[in-house]
Amino acid sequence: MTGLRIFLGAAILGGLGAAAPFTPLWLISLVTLAMSTGLVVCGLIILWRGGLVPFGQALFFATGAYTVALAGRWFGVTDAFLLTALAVIMAALVAFVVGFLLAQYREIFFAMLSLALSMILYGVLVKSETLGSTDGINVAQASFLGMKPRGPGYTFALFWLALGMVFSAWLGVSAYLGSVAGQLAGAIRDNEIRVEYLGISVTRLVHLKLTISAALAGAGGALAALSISHVDPQMAYWTTSGGFVFVTILAGAASVPAAFLGALLFEIVRTIAVALLPGGWQLILGSVLLLTILFVPEGLGSLMIRKRPTISDKGVA
């Protein structure tokens, strides 16, 4: 990643942050939620490039969200930065443990096993009175380095925190995708036996990818919990994981910024669909997904990446 791209990215996010006080609060909240989804999708892109499609990413999303809620309720932690860090660590830790099992599987088995794990967490949350059962848990308003903004100020503070998380995720994921481990994703997807012949453990690489993607999902869950001020078992349900896969298809795996654009487009379409057709908004979302697959099969990210000319494009046999 060039210094110019980093400067442009920082300038765009800084401009969005500066414009926040002049933007309607409902739009700020919507964009904050979209960025929480975008963080999860960033992690899915890492797995997607390696040919891995998990249907249970809600496991780590809910882990991050419940970590925020329980750290505040049980231990009195209120700082948003500390709560987010705890959520990232807990989600990564859960992924590290279950990764010893998940990293052994590929394709539909990987997808369904991850789904099964998220549904196990859903069942635990629903049956546990300590964890709020089906009602969930309210999340107290957080502080920011000792400051306790209220009302619109709290919404703006969360938005600025989200912008910082987006910038950090963008730099971190781009750096990882540019590393040797990240560059091997395509080789793992195409023929992992050849990668093994190079003396590289594919299982360890998949384990690493899963842990990084879970950390990002945990960050997204923390941001969602702080934004909504409530967590419930629905965060671990399979439909939540399906929503993340939906946005990943919409965004594609070609570009990290596309993850956030796809998440924002998803939230806008869903908001409009609910307003237009409250009893059948899923019909509109499904139609958007169908059109995306038909006309932009590689997602929005493919429109943002300049395609390098191939030998055949140059007319060389």
Side-chain angles (χ1 to χ4, degrees):
M1 182 183 296
T2 63
L4 178 61
R5 290 189 64 189
I6 295 174
F7 174 78
L8 287 176
I12 292 172
L13 293 176
L16 290 175
F22 311 102
T23 307
L25 284 179
W26 67 267
L27 184 56
I28 294 292
S29 298
L30 187 144
V31 175
T32 303
L33 280 177
M35 286 191 277
S36 74
T37 302
L39 288 168
V40 184
V41 175
C42 268
L44 284 177
I45 285 177
I46 291 175
L47 294 171
W48 206 280
R49 289 192 175 192
L52 302 163
V53 182
F55 288 161
Q57 205 69 357
L59 167 68
F60 311 116
F61 180 75
T63 298
Y66 270 82
T67 298
V68 168
L70 296 177
R73 169 168 290 201
W74 291 351
F75 305 107
V77 179
T78 60
D79 187 80
F81 295 95
L82 181 56
L83 288 170
T84 303
L86 289 173
V88 170
I89 292 171
M90 280 302 298
L93 185 61
V94 170
F96 180 76
V97 174
V98 301
F100 287 103
L101 175 65
L102 279 174
Q104 305 294 326
Y105 295 90
R106 303 289 184 271
E107 300 177 347
I108 191 64
F109 304 103
F110 178 87
M112 299 313 292
L113 187 55
S114 66
L115 174 63
L117 291 172
S118 75
M119 291 308 294
I120 289 173
L121 176 62
Y122 173 78
V124 171
L125 294 175
V126 166
K127 295 297 182 183
S128 174
E129 294 291 335
T130 306
L131 299 177
S133 188
T134 54
D135 292 332
I137 305 173
N138 288 329
V139 179
Q141 287 199 341
S143 60
F144 297 83
L145 301 177
M147 295 179 287
K148 298 180 179 178
R150 292 293 179 263
Y154 184 75
T155 305
F156 296 144
L158 268 184
F159 180 65
W160 292 326
L161 172 64
L163 290 177
M165 293 168 69
V166 167
F167 187 66
S168 302
W170 176 49
L171 293 181
V173 173
S174 297
Y176 173 76
L177 293 177
S179 68
V180 175
Q183 292 287 334
L184 282 171
I188 293 174
R189 181 188 63 235
D190 295 338
N191 192 334
E192 66 177 64
I193 294 178
R194 291 185 179 178
V195 179
E196 292 280 2
Y197 281 153
L198 296 175
I200 299 171
S201 171
V202 173
T203 301
R204 287 184 181 178
L205 277 179
V206 171
H207 200 163
L208 175 63
K209 291 176 186 299
L210 182 67
T211 304
I212 294 174
S213 71
L216 289 163
L223 186 58
L226 291 172
S227 179
I228 302 171
S229 297
H230 186 79
V231 298
D232 61 50
Q234 196 69 23
M235 288 179 157
Y237 201 51
W238 69 269
T239 52
T240 303
S241 296
F244 295 142
V245 173
F246 182 109
V247 178
T248 308
I249 293 173
L250 189 62
S255 168
V256 177
F260 299 99
L261 290 177
L264 180 59
L265 181 60
F266 174 78
E267 289 294 341
I268 291 173
V269 170
R270 183 165 64 176
T271 301
I272 295 174
V274 170
L276 293 177
L277 202 60
W281 57 271
Q282 298 89 343
L283 180 65
I284 298 177
L285 271 184
S287 301
V288 171
L289 179 61
L290 179 62
L291 292 173
T292 301
I293 293 173
L294 288 177
F295 296 106
V296 196
E298 296 182 6
L300 297 175
S302 63
L303 305 177
M304 302 169 63
I305 300 296
R306 184 186 304 168
K307 190 176 181 181
R308 293 178 181 176
T310 61
I311 293 177
S312 57
D313 293 334
K314 296 176 181 176
V316 179

